[in-house]
Amino acid sequence: MSIKLPQSKSLFFTQILIYVILCMLIAGLVIIPICTEWYDAVSGQKPIATILNICGYLCDVIGFVAIIQLHHLLNNIRKQEIFTEKSVTCLRVISWCCFGIAIICGVLGFWRSLAWLITFAAGFFGMLMCVLKNVFSLAVELRQENDYTI
Amino acid sequence: MPIVVNLDVMMAKRKISAGDLAERIEITPANLSILKNNKAKAVRFSTLEALCEALDCQPGDLLAYTKEDQPE
């Protein structure tokens, strides 16, 4: 059985999730050093707390940018300004952020191979966003053509 | 764009204002302005038909083709 949420409700829930993630990212600024210390102790490998901290903070900042862009994109969708240049820019920035995280985790993978899983996930998501950006870009072109058809 | 809309020329010949023409062919003055200023990307046959009827002319009187490298 499938549950269909009205568009406004799905938007509402997604925005709530965005706020939750934003809070997590802000909290991350404090929690990251604690988490890296804990992970270093648990992993049983050579401690690399500094590298983990640097990567963690970089990912946190990039994630923050991506979430803000996602928030703007959802606001555009709510205002019925879906196929606009602004939405394309949001998607482009989100895809760059995903690739940025993929690169950071790719480098971290040389110390902790588990990070390559995040590289794969972020890279895959970045590619998806890139495809979506191209679709939106095409839709913007079509809309403009339609607007200028008299 | 190599296709030029000579709507203003035809309107001057027929001595009809943009507002009157827009009202007669039932399009908004804003859309007529887009057409008149060569900003349109496409023209519907129905619009062209209405224009020809209102201005008593042929599609060829309204549209002209100029090569892009040709100096104006």
Side-chain angles (χ1 to χ4, degrees):
Chain A
M1 198 180 91
S2 64
I3 300 164
K4 271 194 176 177
L5 284 171
Q7 200 200 19
S8 58
K9 272 192 187 166
S10 59
L11 268 177
F12 174 74
F13 286 125
T14 315
Q15 287 212 306
I16 284 178
L17 275 178
I18 282 175
Y19 291 131
V20 170
I21 295 167
L22 264 179
C23 291
M24 283 165 68
L25 287 170
I26 292 165
L29 294 172
V30 181
I31 294 170
I32 284 171
I34 302 162
C35 289
T36 50
E37 250 178 63
W38 169 80
Y39 180 66
D40 253 354
V42 168
S43 67
Q45 290 172 299
K46 190 183 157 195
I48 50 156
T50 315
I51 298 166
L52 282 173
N53 277 335
I54 292 168
C55 292
Y57 277 117
L58 282 174
C59 287
D60 198 87
V61 171
I62 294 172
F64 192 81
V65 174
I67 287 294
I68 291 291
Q69 290 301 319
L70 193 59
H71 178 66
H72 286 165
L73 181 68
L74 290 179
N75 267 344
N76 288 346
I77 291 171
R78 201 196 323 192
K79 284 188 277 180
Q80 298 291 316
E81 293 170 6
I82 305 164
F83 300 116
T84 59
E85 281 297 332
K86 273 192 263 176
S87 301
V88 175
T89 310
C90 287
L91 284 168
R92 185 180 291 124
V93 175
I94 293 169
S95 74
W96 286 345
C97 289
C98 291
F99 289 134
I101 290 171
I103 290 168
I104 292 165
C105 291
V107 174
L108 184 64
F110 289 109
W111 286 279
R112 297 282 188 270
S113 52
L114 204 63
W116 278 330
L117 273 177
I118 304 171
T119 301
F120 176 77
F124 179 68
F125 198 68
M127 288 304 286
L128 272 181
M129 286 291 129
C130 214
V131 170
L132 206 59
K133 185 260 295 174
N134 290 337
V135 171
F136 263 63
S137 186
L138 199 67
V140 170
E141 260 180 55
L142 286 173
R143 208 200 75 158
Q144 278 174 351
E145 199 164 295
N146 190 45
D147 284 350
Y148 283 97
T149 297
I150 312 295
Chain B
M1 202 180 216
I3 300 289
V4 180
V5 183
N6 293 319
L7 191 60
D8 42 358
V9 178
M10 216 56 213
M11 280 165 66
K13 274 188 191 168
R14 299 287 183 259
K15 290 179 183 137
I16 185 168
S17 70
D20 283 346
L21 184 62
E23 204 175 308
R24 229 192 268 185
I25 64 172
E26 291 173 347
I27 66 168
T28 63
N31 276 346
L32 187 70
S33 170
I34 289 171
L35 201 57
K36 208 159 71 99
N37 297 319
N38 278 302
K39 296 264 167 63
K41 297 218 176 193
V43 185
R44 286 192 191 93
F45 276 153
S46 55
T47 311
L48 196 58
E49 187 187 325
L51 278 170
C52 290
E53 202 180 313
L55 296 169
D56 188 28
C57 63
Q58 290 297 313
D61 299 325
L62 295 171
L63 304 171
Y65 171 76
T66 50
K67 276 187 183 167
E68 268 184 305
D69 54 345
Q70 198 177 297
E72 285 181 22

